[in-house]
């Protein structure tokens, strides 16, 4: 485990956005592929494709912790799968965001950072309401991540959600990707942008 947070020395220099993408079939993706392509063009962004990096789910815990420590903003991008993250993003959270690192008495490595979630859904926006067929709002479904941020002393940024991703045409997805890129850039102070 990385121990930067526990040495008592000066905090490490941090900058930029760590954009962590989890999509198990990016070659078939339309929404997340377009969004990632747009956002990773920003110079302030360090891009990590979890399924490409860890096809066997053997997450390098030390490397991932070091990346988290080195960035100001942690962005998690994924398609909503069964009202949650794809499996490898959950595995990454389970293995990397450990007691003593991310939370617990000495676990202050993420404290003060910001957590930003970008998520696409198959269902339309109106499905994500008390009267809609998914019965709960997106805020409700993202609550475990919001509470994770809180537990780790992170600021929870308003999520970026693209609903009805599967039925949007290419122009609409391109517009969403540009909107996403602008949102990611806006997470940083002006001097760190683009
Ligand atoms: C295994 C699986 C589970 C899914 N679960 C949900 C879900 O819970 N809610 C939803 O709105 N869409 C669900 N979808 C649809 C995806 O979220 C949607 O296809 C994706 O966001 C589109 O993005 P992409 O073009 O990047 O693949 C699911 C799709 C798959 C394959």
């Amino acid at each position: 485990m990385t121990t930067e947070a526990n040495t008592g020395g000066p905090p490490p220099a941090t900058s930029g956005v760590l954009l962590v993408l989890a999509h198990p079939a990016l070659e078939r993706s339309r929404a997340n592929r377009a969004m990632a392509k747009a956002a990773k063009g920003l110079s302030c962004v360090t891009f990590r494709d979890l399924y490409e990096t860890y096809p066997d789910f053997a997450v390098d815990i030390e490397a991932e912790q070091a990346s988290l420590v080195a960035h100001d903003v942690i962005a998690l991008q994924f398609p909503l799968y069964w009202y949650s993250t794809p499996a490898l993003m959950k595995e990454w959270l389970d293995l990397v965001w450990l007691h003593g690192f991310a939370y617990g008495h000495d676990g202050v490595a993420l404290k003060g950072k910001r957590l930003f979630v970008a998520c696409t859904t198959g269902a339309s926006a109106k499905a994500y309401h008390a009267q809609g067929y998914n019965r709960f709002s997106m805020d409700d479904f993202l609550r475990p991540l919001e509470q994770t941020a809180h537990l780790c002393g992170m600021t929870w940024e308003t999520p970026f959600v693209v609903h009805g991703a599967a039925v949007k045409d290419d122009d609409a997805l391109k517009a969403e990707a540009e909107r996403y890129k602008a949102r990611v850039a806006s997470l940083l102070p002006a001097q760190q942008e683009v």
Side-chain angles (χ1 to χ4, degrees):
M1 174 188 299
T2 304
T3 53
E4 280 98 324
N6 305 331
T7 57
T14 60
S15 71
V17 178
L18 177 64
L19 173 52
V20 181
L21 168 72
H23 194 303
L26 200 59
E27 67 288 353
R28 291 201 298 274
S29 158
R30 292 175 63 244
N32 283 277
R33 194 146 48 99
M35 289 162 62
K37 189 176 168 203
K40 74 184 184 187
L42 293 164
S43 66
C44 60
V45 167
T46 305
F47 180 65
R48 175 86 93 256
D49 178 339
L50 289 182
Y51 279 91
E52 183 184 65
T53 311
Y54 304 115
D56 51 3
F57 278 49
V59 175
D60 182 336
I61 296 168
E62 284 195 8
E64 293 301 320
Q65 289 184 341
S67 290
L68 287 167
V69 167
H71 292 84
D72 297 321
V73 180
I74 312 304
L76 307 181
Q77 185 194 321
F78 56 90
L80 194 70
Y81 276 12
W82 287 111
Y83 309 110
S84 185
T85 66
L88 182 52
M89 183 163 278
K90 181 60 165 57
E91 179 77 349
W92 176 83
L93 284 163
D94 293 352
L95 292 175
V96 177
W97 293 46
L98 293 174
H99 183 269
F101 172 78
Y103 70 100
H105 183 64
D106 293 323
V108 292
L110 305 180
K111 198 172 171 188
K113 297 182 188 293
R114 289 181 285 154
L115 186 64
F116 170 62
V117 164
C119 178
T120 64
T121 75
S124 67
K126 71 176 194 297
Y128 286 93
H129 283 286
Q131 280 73 42
Y133 72 84
N134 282 327
R135 300 178 55 232
F136 301 96
S137 69
M138 275 308 286
D139 283 347
D140 291 332
F141 288 117
L142 295 177
R143 214 63 90 191
L145 289 170
E146 181 178 354
Q147 172 54 20
T148 298
H150 180 76
L151 181 73
C152 299
M154 303 173 82
T155 301
W156 176 247
E157 296 290 338
T158 302
F160 181 96
V161 180
V162 177
H163 286 296
V167 297
K168 285 201 188 322
D169 66 21
D170 289 349
D171 285 346
L173 285 181
K174 204 170 162 203
E176 293 290 4
E178 286 306 311
R179 199 166 65 86
Y180 178 54
K181 179 180 177 180
R183 180 69 202 287
V184 172
S186 78
L187 292 167
L188 293 167
Q191 71 275 12
Q192 282 193 38
E193 283 178 28
V194 194

